[in-house]
Amino acid sequence: MLLCHAGAHRLAFLAHEVAAIASPEGRDAASARRAFRMPDGAARVLLSATGGAVGVDTLEIEAEAHPVLPAPPVAVAASGGSLRGFVLVQGRLWPLMGLVDFERFLRGLMGGA
């Protein structure tokens, strides 16, 4: 699992959904900050196997498996279906996002702006 930050906000992604991690230079990545109504920015970009890209401020790898707690349907709908649930890691809840769906959601936010 990858634990990421977008500003002060936490996000988690399943490692098998991330094909590569890259620097943001020259990448057309949707910034995860958009989900929190913050200006775009990223220090790292998570790339999916299908070519999608999400920029995050920080990331760390969590090697231990954690159970996924269900998300309320209203939160799943508000995230465009990208919220998979929550994981409890390091004593904090992390929203677990689907990388491809989250990128699509972020790009939709950009189009609506």
Side-chain angles (χ1 to χ4, degrees):
M1 183 175 309
L2 297 176
L3 304 177
C4 303
H5 283 95
H9 305 279
R10 296 182 301 275
L11 299 165
F13 298 91
L14 294 174
H16 74 268
E17 293 185 351
V18 179
I21 300 169
S23 69
E25 287 78 31
R27 304 260 181 213
D28 179 28
S31 174
R33 290 174 166 220
R34 291 180 191 164
F36 306 102
R37 301 190 189 282
M38 298 170 51
D40 283 358
R44 293 285 181 257
V45 174
L46 309 178
L47 302 168
S48 72
T50 59
V54 172
V56 297
D57 294 334
T58 66
L59 68 90
E60 66 180 271
I61 297 170
E62 172 64 30
E64 292 185 37
H66 297 276
V68 178
L69 306 169
V74 69
V76 174
S79 71
S82 62
L83 178 62
R84 303 266 171 86
F86 294 90
V87 290
L88 184 61
V89 182
Q90 302 169 354
R92 297 177 180 205
L93 278 179
W94 296 72
L96 179 63
M97 311 303 290
L99 183 59
V100 172
D101 292 331
F102 190 53
E103 188 225 7
R104 190 175 308 120
F105 170 71
L106 293 171
R107 295 225 183 257
L109 291 177
M110 186 175 85

